[in-house]
Amino acid sequence: MKTTGIDKHTLLNLYIIVSKIRKVQLRIEQLYHEDEMKTPVHLCIGQEAIAAGVCENLERDDYVFSNHRGHGHYIAKGGDLKAMVAELYCKETGCSRGRGGSMHLVDTSVGLLGSSSIVGGGIPLAVGAAMASALKNDKRVSVAFFGDAASEEGVLYESMNFAALKKLPVVFVCENNFYSVYSHQSARQANTDITTRPKAFNIPAYNVDGRDVIDAYKKSKEAICVARSGKGPAFIECRAYRWRGHAGPGDSLKAKYRKSDEWNEWMKCCPLKDFKKVLINETILTEEKINQINKDIDTEIDEAFDFAQKSPLPKKEELTKYLYS
């Protein structure tokens, strides 16, 4: 990690975001067994640097479209943590009024226009939002986060073609954690270099080490500048590793579908610990400062879970509220 050219304030903010995403995920995992969160959860432990690096380059009014593994995107874009946790508990105070759960997070106040449980579902929506921005000339950028499995969906290629044709301000961010549930990328894709695909549409593509928040920050900054300047879309492939199972806490089945040497190699690198080490070595962080950051984040998380647990459930008579036909 080379922090050259990044100011101290940005580096500290990146560290706080990565730490918050990690801590929130761990708290969800810790409490999930209590069975009060009546929704599947897809944890992004190991992938925190991607959301933090990309969203740090976005303005509050820029648009983000997330996917089923979207907690990190929500937090990095500045979403209301109390509303997010309440949504996991399916409470009326949740960001989707308790009707959506973990896979349907939204906070329009910070430009997070929603996440979709459909693989690749957010991609065309991001392109549509980018088209609206282009027509209004409001200089907003749209970002679509999706996984390696979504790179196999036809809608991605239709979206890239249209975005390139119309020179739309959209950035496609593929978080490649190598697994679609239990299937490795090599068993699903003839060409595992995902960045070769946008090149067919003359879209600039960037390879990012998804464990390195500095790499994610610098390259996404360039990609977002391309989109915002009117030159059309950009594409980023971020390679990281999903530390937990496809859904829920832990990964009790990892020995059945992951090779032990692969697991051990990826576990040597931690997005949070490695970044912390760099910032300490460069005297940007001290142990005292880290302790204060951890204390502040823990307090915020405590308050969010307390709020969620004490919030009311939706009323039975409002079962059909927010439904349209």
Side-chain angles (χ1 to χ4, degrees):
M1 293 186 188
K2 295 183 179 180
T3 62
T4 309
I6 305 178
D7 62 85
K8 181 178 179 180
H9 173 77
T10 299
L11 291 169
L12 285 173
N13 202 44
L14 285 168
Y15 180 79
I16 291 169
I17 295 169
V18 173
S19 296
K20 184 185 290 189
I21 296 171
R22 173 67 61 86
K23 281 178 168 290
V24 171
Q25 301 301 284
L26 291 175
R27 184 68 65 87
I28 293 169
E29 184 175 50
Q30 177 189 349
L31 298 178
Y32 195 70
H33 75 280
E34 295 179 356
D35 200 29
E36 293 180 0
M37 292 179 238
K38 299 294 185 179
T39 170
V41 292
H42 299 77
L43 304 178
C44 61
I45 298 172
Q47 301 177 206
E48 301 92 344
I50 303 169
V54 173
C55 291
E56 184 66 15
N57 287 298
L58 295 175
E59 301 294 335
R60 184 181 180 89
D61 290 339
D62 287 331
Y63 299 130
V64 163
F65 291 84
S66 183
N67 61 355
H68 61 282
R69 202 176 304 281
H71 301 162
H73 312 143
Y74 183 99
I75 294 167
K77 193 61 170 70
D80 185 324
L81 186 58
K82 288 182 178 179
M84 186 195 107
V85 178
E87 189 60 35
L88 302 188
Y89 281 85
C90 300
K91 298 297 184 72
E92 183 68 40
T93 55
C95 60
S96 294
R97 299 293 184 265
R99 274 82 166 172
S102 173
M103 292 187 281
H104 298 92
L105 304 177
V106 58
D107 190 336
T108 57
S109 69
V110 294
L112 187 82
L113 298 193
S115 57
S116 173
S117 59
I118 300 171
V119 175
I123 295 171
L125 302 181
V127 172
M131 186 171 186
S133 295
L135 292 172
K136 293 190 293 184
N137 193 30
D138 60 16
K139 303 302 180 184
R140 286 176 170 170
V141 169
S142 292
V143 173
F145 286 101
F146 53 93
D148 48 284
S151 73
E152 301 160 22
E153 299 288 334
V155 69
L156 172 62
Y157 302 92
E158 296 173 19
S159 296
M160 287 195 293
N161 179 61
F162 188 78
L165 180 68
K166 300 296 183 180
K167 296 190 181 302
L168 301 181
V170 59
V171 179
F172 302 98
V173 181
C174 178
E175 297 179 293
N176 184 0
N177 61 29
F178 304 102
Y179 285 93
S180 174
V181 190
Y182 305 126
S183 299
H184 192 273
Q185 183 189 12
S186 60
R188 299 179 282 110
Q189 300 179 13
N191 176 5
T192 57
D193 183 358
I194 294 174
T195 57
T196 62
R197 303 172 200 178
K199 293 175 183 177
F201 305 99
N202 295 321
I203 296 175
Y206 304 81
N207 289 108
V208 167
D209 183 345
R211 304 163 297 182
D212 183 344
V213 67
I214 299 301
D215 194 40
Y217 173 80
K218 288 184 174 180
K219 289 177 181 172
S220 63
K221 183 176 184 177
E222 185 175 340
I224 289 166
C225 285
V226 168
R228 202 183 300 280
S229 66
K231 296 179 182 178
F235 190 103
I236 307 171
E237 180 193 0
C238 306
R239 296 194 170 202
Y241 201 66
R242 193 187 73 204
W243 286 21
R244 300 299 192 256
H246 170 66
D251 190 1
S252 59
L253 297 176
K254 68 175 183 288
K256 296 183 181 294
Y257 70 96
R258 305 204 212 210
K259 296 179 180 179
S260 59
D261 55 344
E262 171 193 276
W263 173 269
N264 293 332
E265 189 62 30
W266 279 97
M267 289 301 106
K268 292 178 183 177
C269 185
C270 172
L272 180 58
K273 290 182 179 179
D274 292 351
F275 190 33
K276 171 184 171 181
K277 184 178 179 180
V278 168
L279 296 184
I280 288 176
N281 289 341
E282 297 189 7
T283 66
I284 293 169
L285 270 183
T286 63
E287 290 295 345
E288 182 180 5
K289 179 65 176 176
I290 291 170
N291 290 336
Q292 186 59 53
I293 289 171
N294 287 335
K295 183 179 178 180
D296 292 343
I297 293 173
D298 287 340
T299 298
E300 184 181 358
I301 293 173
D302 288 342
E303 292 174 352
F305 276 84
D306 183 63
F307 171 81
Q309 290 162 350
K310 291 179 179 177
S311 291
L313 289 165
K315 297 177 181 178
K316 292 181 180 179
E317 57 269 27
E318 294 183 348
L319 177 66
T320 59
K321 192 174 181 179
Y322 310 116
L323 295 180
Y324 300 89
S325 62

